[in-house]
Amino acid sequence: MKSGFRQSMAWLHTWCGLWAGWILFAVFLTGTASYYRQELSDWMRPELHAGAQRAEAAQWAVTYLNVVAPDARTWLIELPEARNRSLRVGWSDRVGPGGFTLATLDGSGAAAAVRKTAGGDLFYYFHFDLLVIPFRLGRWLVSLCALAMLVTIVSGVIIHRRIFADFFTFRPGKGGRRAWLDAHNALGVLALPYHLMITYTGLVTFALMLVPYGADLAYRGDRAAFQAELTGQMWPGPKSGVAAPLASLLPMLEQAGRLWGGGLPGRITVVNPGDAQARVLIARGDTDRISTTRQTVLFDGASGRMLAARDAGGLAERSWGVFYGLHLARFASPALRALFFLSGLAGTAMVASGLMLWVTKRRAMAKLGLRPPRGVRFAAVLNIGVIAGLPVAMLALLWANRLIPAQLASRDRWEFYSFFGVWAVALLYPLLRPNRAAWRELFAVAALLSGLLPVLNALTTQVGLNATLRQGDWAIAGVDLAVLTMAPVFAALAVRTGRPPRSAKVSARQVEVAS
Amino acid sequence: MTLLLAMLLSAAGMMFLALAMRRHWAESFGPHARPALRLRLAGVGSLTGSLIISMELWGSAIGMVAWFGLLSAAGLAVILGLAALRA
């Protein structure tokens, strides 16, 4: 520990930031991509057609489930919405929550021959549990890193001496440490409300896992009971054994919508379908409001009569709903979503510039003849493998989605392997190459992958840019266009990182040797 | 259209606030005298305007969230603009 408040805060900022930084970068980047999770999922299922009507879709789902799982205990129906063209259904024989077999239906009602893919969900799940086994370990790791992020943000504000004077300062011309510090400060300060919001709300999402003590004490360790009460689950009783057809869902959906003042219904749960004791639970969607609190209406499945309605409960639940909703941003319209995406990119770049700063600073120390601390080479290699390697791996997933045959049974597993396989190679690659070459080559690969992805898409599917632009299918065209826009950015990064720093050409080699 | 107006106002607000600072004013206009107070007022006024418009556009709750996003985006644009001016 150093003496002095600012020094000790700087120490905290440096080391919390460094150790959490690599995971945080991955969490920020995949989380930012998850703002377009639905669009990515649609892009990765090119067989789906747009334009399913919600009302018809509900009937199609019931028809389908009646054939596939007439005796199930629970049916689950997720209706298509503006940003999600697939109709998702599920069925489970378990009494109580969970145990669902899920299927994706085409908007046209049949169980479409949709390719098996994780879709945008892979990035989404990765961003909070890193897809490691056991998933609890991943969630704890991400939560600890988010905690470190919160510490880093607060200590960062404290050690930033000229937070207002340098508000608009960015001097890339000065090169090296100065430029990285400027970028780090500018990205951190400008999107500070976003960084605080996203980190804090992310932690709140896992509140029950991180600090379960209060709930455990009050509910004597029965977390299922706590969850049920928190989310207002109304689990109906067992089947009566008397068969009765399910009433039409349409009037129920309309009644629920009226009750919410025009709010859109989201998920439909049918318990005991085909039985006289059937119950239909309609939950409000969260695309038209910030909060994700559960508002549900319960209907008698056989008669279609409304039995009960539940609104947001106490203050705790309502604030939790707003925090969670802010983090997910499902309420965001296209323009607002773009702003969230931009802020997310700023956060990603802030973490990356902090990691770069750590290495640059220590290299500069070496140049002055001071002994550089151990681990500089380790950090430099990890920086390349994570900052340049992860985008390559993410693009590789999109490529794998188009290249792996659509009919292959285990193709979703191969997509998974291609993401992690490519990332593993990218993490090892900088060990074999000089730093600058590794930066340049990985970014060049990213530029090629992103530049050629729309071409690959047009060659292998019916939803290439030529078709989607003409039809005005912006969800899918948007993914192509966004990836295409990244190509020149990656190319510029490849050129920039491949160039030796302007200020110190001679001593750069000495630093390489020294580290 | 209103969205465009909100974006323009937030960008203008950030630009006025930047120009109210000696360093950035000197970079853009050289040694001429700097009307600091008026620039600051114009900046605060424009940002308030963009807040009002985004609350009008998205409702007060979501509008507030969106306004912070607009400010970040506008700030980034001004920073990149100033850096490009210097290069």
Side-chain angles (χ1 to χ4, degrees), chain B residues 5 14 18 23-24 28-29 31-32 36 46 54 60 65 74 78 81 84-85:
Chain B
L5 192 61
M14 281 298 193
R23 186 197 304 164
H24 301 303
S28 314
F29 298 102
H32 300 284
S46 308
S54 46
S60 56
V65 177
V78 169
L85 202 71

Side-chain angles (χ1 to χ4, degrees), chain B residues 39-81:
Chain B
L39 283 170
R40 238 168 248 142
L41 282 178
V44 172
S46 308
L47 293 185
T48 315
S50 80
L51 173 64
I52 292 169
I53 292 175
S54 46
M55 280 174 138
E56 210 44 46
L57 193 62
W58 280 292
S60 56
I62 295 180
M64 194 73 160
V65 177
W67 184 61
F68 279 112
L70 281 175
L71 288 193
S72 302
L76 278 177
V78 169
I79 286 182
L80 290 179

Side-chain angles (χ1 to χ4, degrees), chain A residues 245-332:
Chain A
L246 190 67
S248 169
L249 293 180
L250 277 187
M252 303 187 214
L253 288 171
E254 279 168 14
Q255 198 176 346
R258 273 201 303 277
L259 204 67
W260 297 320
L264 281 181
R267 170 183 287 203
I268 305 170
T269 314
V270 183
V271 186
N272 303 335
D275 189 273
Q277 280 296 316
R279 292 287 181 272
V280 178
L281 188 70
I282 298 180
R284 184 170 174 184
D286 41 23
T287 50
D288 53 0
R289 56 192 180 132
I290 290 187
S291 177
T292 58
T293 47
R294 271 174 75 87
Q295 287 174 276
T296 51
V297 188
L298 186 69
F299 292 92
D300 184 306
S303 67
R305 199 164 46 87
M306 186 177 129
L307 297 176
R310 179 191 185 272
D311 257 337
L315 187 64
E317 189 201 348
R318 270 181 290 164
S319 12
W320 189 81
V322 169
F323 285 144
Y324 192 39
L326 269 177
H327 192 90
L328 290 171
R330 288 203 191 125
F331 59 87

Side-chain angles (χ1 to χ4, degrees), chain A residues 16-17 20 23-25 27-28 31-32 35 127-128 139 141-155 157 187-188 191-207 210 320 323-324 326-328 340 343-344 346-348 350-351:
Chain A
C16 265
I23 290 184
L24 281 175
F25 177 85
V27 168
F28 256 93
T32 303
Y35 282 131
H127 107 275
F128 61 80
R139 290 184 181 193
L141 267 176
V142 172
S143 301
L144 289 177
C145 287
L147 210 58
M149 176 86 185
L150 215 51
V151 169
T152 314
I153 292 173
V154 174
S155 56
V157 170
L187 290 164
L192 188 62
Y194 174 83
H195 301 324
L196 273 174
M197 179 280 283
I198 209 70
T199 312
Y200 178 70
T201 55
L203 278 168
V204 167
T205 306
F206 284 146
L210 297 169
W320 189 81
F323 285 144
Y324 192 39
L326 269 177
H327 192 90
L328 290 171
F340 267 103
S343 297
T348 314
M350 176 188 68
V351 175

Side-chain angles (χ1 to χ4, degrees), chain A residues 162 164-166 169-170 190, chain B residues 21 23 58 62 66 72 79 86:
Chain A
R162 297 154 55 81
F164 290 109
D166 278 352
T169 306
F170 177 45
L190 271 173
Chain B
M21 296 160 85
R23 186 197 304 164
W58 280 292
I62 295 180
S72 302
I79 286 182
R86 216 176 300 125

